[in-house]
Amino acid sequence: FSPDGERIASASLDKTVKLWSLDGKLLPTFTSHGNLVRGVAFSPDGQRIASASWDKTVKLWSLNGKLLQTLSNHGDRVNGVAFSPDGQRIASADDKTVKLWSLNGKLLQTFPRHSKGVIGVAFSPDGQRIASGDDKTVKLWSLDGKLLQTFPPHGDRVLGVAFSPDGQRIASASWDKTVKLWSLDGKLLHTFTGHIDPVRGVAFSPDGQKIASASLDNTVKLWRLDGKLLQTFTGHSDSVMGVAFSPDGERIASASDDKTVKLWSLDGKLLQTFI
């Protein structure tokens, strides 16, 4: 979702990013990547989009589809991208490490090599820390590349990470079919179980009171922080690879291998399908 909640950006294996209005109208299509696009993020001011691709680059775009910058100092395919809260830096995750960039494409920091490749990356709300998914664990870093914490392992690879809005907790999604909720010191607060296939994406609601999870079981689930399942969203015909809350917390967008994005109300009602 864009910060104003009026648009949705989607990243696809068809090598493009597409921008949509909430009524399903296709706005610009961003075409320049040479391989599948694995992640996408809006800048905090809503004026730019960053995309992460298996062509080993991150690209920075204006909303009309103009390519502004290519971050190309990656040694491997890029799986995730995130803007810092102040919009001045970008973090990217490739199959070997996390990199920190300025918006003009200058590489500011390369984090120590991860063991099995990085799928997810997220900035803390205060912009002072980065969380990454490394094999079965979550790692917490300072911006100068210092490792602050390694969390106890999941039963399988970590596929997504998210900070709570207050910055005090981290949620991780895993191939082990669970979501885990952690304090920043690595204490496990809760394990969310209910998906029957790996969990590919996770997001906090803007008020920090709920978590949404996207799974290869074709569903999105909505949870309270104590693990109570509030809603299961069914309607996709293939794996759900990503999930996001609208800024007002009233809607959820899900992206699927069925080649669609779907927009839902929190009670599970399908509002729109983006094709």
Side-chain angles (χ1 to χ4, degrees):
F1 275 95
S2 59
D4 64 6
E6 296 302 317
R7 286 160 292 191
I8 289 174
S10 55
S12 174
L13 306 193
D14 68 8
K15 307 179 187 178
T16 73
V17 172
K18 291 184 182 291
L19 188 64
W20 312 83
S21 60
L22 295 195
D23 61 2
K25 180 183 177 183
L26 179 61
L27 304 172
T29 297
F30 303 74
T31 57
S32 183
H33 280 295
N35 206 327
L36 63 89
V37 185
R38 194 60 202 87
V40 64
F42 273 96
S43 61
D45 65 5
Q47 298 305 302
R48 287 160 292 188
I49 287 174
S51 55
S53 172
W54 279 17
D55 67 8
K56 304 182 183 179
T57 72
V58 169
K59 291 183 182 289
L60 188 64
W61 313 82
S62 64
L63 295 195
N64 63 6
K66 179 182 178 182
L67 180 61
L68 302 174
Q69 190 68 238
T70 299
L71 314 182
S72 56
N73 198 18
H74 285 282
D76 219 318
R77 55 193 189 183
V78 190
N79 296 306
V81 64
F83 276 94
S84 61
D86 64 5
Q88 298 305 302
R89 289 161 294 187
I90 290 173
S92 57
D94 68 24
D95 272 357
K96 294 185 174 69
T97 189
V98 169
K99 293 181 183 294
L100 187 65
W101 310 82
S102 64
L103 295 193
N104 64 6
K106 180 182 178 182
L107 180 60
L108 303 175
Q109 188 67 237
T110 297
F111 292 67
R113 185 183 176 94
H114 290 56
S115 62
K116 290 284 185 72
V118 195
I119 302 294
V121 63
F123 272 96
S124 61
D126 65 4
Q128 298 305 303
R129 288 161 293 189
I130 288 173
S132 62
D134 176 27
D135 192 23
K136 299 178 183 179
T137 71
V138 173
K139 292 185 184 296
L140 189 62
W141 309 86
S142 61
L143 295 195
D144 61 3
K146 180 182 177 183
L147 180 61
L148 303 174
Q149 190 69 236
T150 298
F151 292 27
H154 273 275
D156 211 321
R157 290 199 71 182
V158 175
L159 302 175
V161 293
F163 274 94
S164 61
D166 65 5
Q168 298 306 302
R169 288 161 293 188
I170 290 173
S172 54
S174 172
W175 196 265
D176 69 8
K177 307 177 186 176
T178 74
V179 171
K180 291 183 182 290
L181 184 64
W182 312 86
S183 59
L184 295 194
D185 61 2
K187 180 183 177 183
L188 179 61
L189 303 175
H190 203 86
T191 299
F192 302 78
T193 59
H195 284 293
I196 60 174
D197 282 310
V199 185
R200 188 59 189 83
V202 64
F204 276 94
S205 60
D207 65 5
Q209 299 305 303
K210 294 177 285 280
I211 287 174
S213 55
S215 172
L216 305 194
D217 66 11
N218 302 2
T219 74
V220 170
K221 290 184 182 291
L222 184 64
W223 314 82
R224 257 185 2 205
L225 296 195
D226 62 3
K228 179 179 171 63
L229 180 61
L230 300 174
Q231 191 66 238
T232 298
F233 301 76
T234 58
H236 282 292
S237 60
D238 209 334
S239 301
V240 187
M241 305 299 287
V243 63
F245 278 91
S246 62
D248 65 6
E250 297 301 318
R251 290 160 294 183
I252 287 175
S254 56
S256 171
D257 271 351
D258 66 11
K259 305 180 185 177
T260 73
V261 171
K262 290 183 183 292
L263 185 65
W264 313 83
S265 60
L266 294 196
D267 60 3
K269 181 182 176 183
L270 180 61
L271 303 175
Q272 189 67 239
T273 299
F274 304 77
I275 302 174

